[in-house]
Amino acid sequence: CSFATLSLLRKKRQQGELRCKQIEVSSETFSWTETLQSAAVDETVDRIWLLGNTSTGVQGLCIALRQEDCAHKIRSCLSSVKLSKEKLASVVERDLVSNVLVNGMWGTYRHSDVTSSAGHVTSSQGHVTSRSAYVDTLTRGDLSSLSWIQAPAAPKSQNTITCEVSFASLNFRDVMIATGKLPPDALPLEMQGSNDCVLGLEFCGH
């Protein structure tokens, strides 16, 4: 048995004081979006820090904005507790893109494209291979946690039809439900299944 340690060293860049804009992201009020839009195009702003907890989807927002022209400005800090000015200042000084505080320890999250693990879905035992699966968010309101989830075996009865799904879409209503903007019971009663599968109900297959 052998052990190995991998150390990643990051050279601190010598630069002047960065002009930062801190924005508290909320899933209840959206006045912060106007501040974000202004800061994104403001040449006097060097960094935009998105601050939020697990219910705000701040990680997914950061990933999306990192695809835009303002990508070099975007930084995020996800924490379930309110940070003191001193702790937040130390995070800003490190100038890392994604910062996550969980149980008093700092780290980051990495996301995988669900298409890169075809046939592998998430269950209570981890990643398994299954022919029965559905798509849902692992964290309510966080679209970035969208994952394949193992579905229970379909009951065998004359009233049950099993479909082989070739393609499924996430429409606007699905995104609103996944991000917590709409409750799952917003679907018509006849479209609500017996399990948690309420996304991607528009599909083609046989």
Side-chain angles (χ1 to χ4, degrees):
C1 180
S2 62
F3 297 89
T5 300
L6 175 64
S7 299
L8 178 62
L9 305 180
R10 179 175 180 266
K11 183 179 180 180
K12 187 174 182 180
R13 292 178 298 175
Q14 298 296 325
Q15 56 187 2
E17 183 177 352
L18 295 174
R19 295 160 295 184
C20 300
K21 185 71 175 181
Q22 297 179 6
I23 300 176
E24 293 278 353
V25 177
S26 171
S27 58
E28 297 179 358
T29 60
F30 300 95
S31 57
W32 55 268
T33 58
E34 296 181 1
T35 305
L36 175 58
Q37 289 175 338
S38 299
V41 297
D42 189 345
E43 295 182 356
T44 65
V45 175
D46 298 314
R47 294 289 185 268
I48 300 174
W49 279 90
L50 305 173
L51 313 176
N53 54 39
T54 53
S55 66
T56 60
V58 66
Q59 287 294 110
L61 177 61
C62 177
I63 292 174
L65 291 175
R66 294 281 295 177
Q67 309 300 316
E68 302 297 331
D69 293 337
C70 60
H72 63 284
K73 295 183 177 183
I74 303 300
R75 302 289 186 269
S76 69
C77 181
L78 186 151
S79 174
S80 57
V81 297
K82 185 72 173 180
L83 297 178
S84 64
K85 290 184 178 180
E86 292 76 14
K87 285 188 176 181
L88 186 56
S90 66
V91 174
V92 172
E93 184 180 5
R94 288 195 294 267
D95 195 34
L96 299 177
V97 171
S98 176
N99 305 268
V100 180
L101 180 63
V102 176
N103 297 328
M105 298 184 64
W106 285 102
T108 187
Y109 286 145
R110 288 294 180 265
H111 301 86
S112 301
D113 188 347
V114 293
T115 59
S116 64
S117 55
H120 297 277
V121 298
T122 300
S123 71
S124 58
Q125 288 76 37
H127 292 286
V128 299
T129 300
S130 175
R131 291 185 59 82
S132 299
Y134 63 93
V135 173
D136 202 355
T137 50
L138 299 180
T139 303
R140 177 72 175 155
D142 185 4
L143 188 60
S144 65
S145 68
L146 198 68
S147 301
W148 288 108
I149 300 175
Q150 187 177 22
K156 295 182 179 180
S157 68
Q158 294 181 348
N159 297 325
T160 300
I161 300 176
T162 302
C163 297
E164 185 80 22
V165 178
S166 299
F167 298 95
S169 66
L170 289 179
N171 57 30
F172 180 73
R173 180 186 59 202
D174 293 330
V175 174
M176 293 292 284
I177 293 176
T179 54
K181 303 298 188 300
L182 283 177
D185 56 11
L187 289 170
L189 186 60
E190 63 273 11
M191 296 180 64
Q192 297 181 24
S194 58
N195 54 30
D196 295 329
C197 180
V198 296
L199 303 181
L201 296 184
E202 296 179 357
F203 68 91
C204 64
H206 61 278

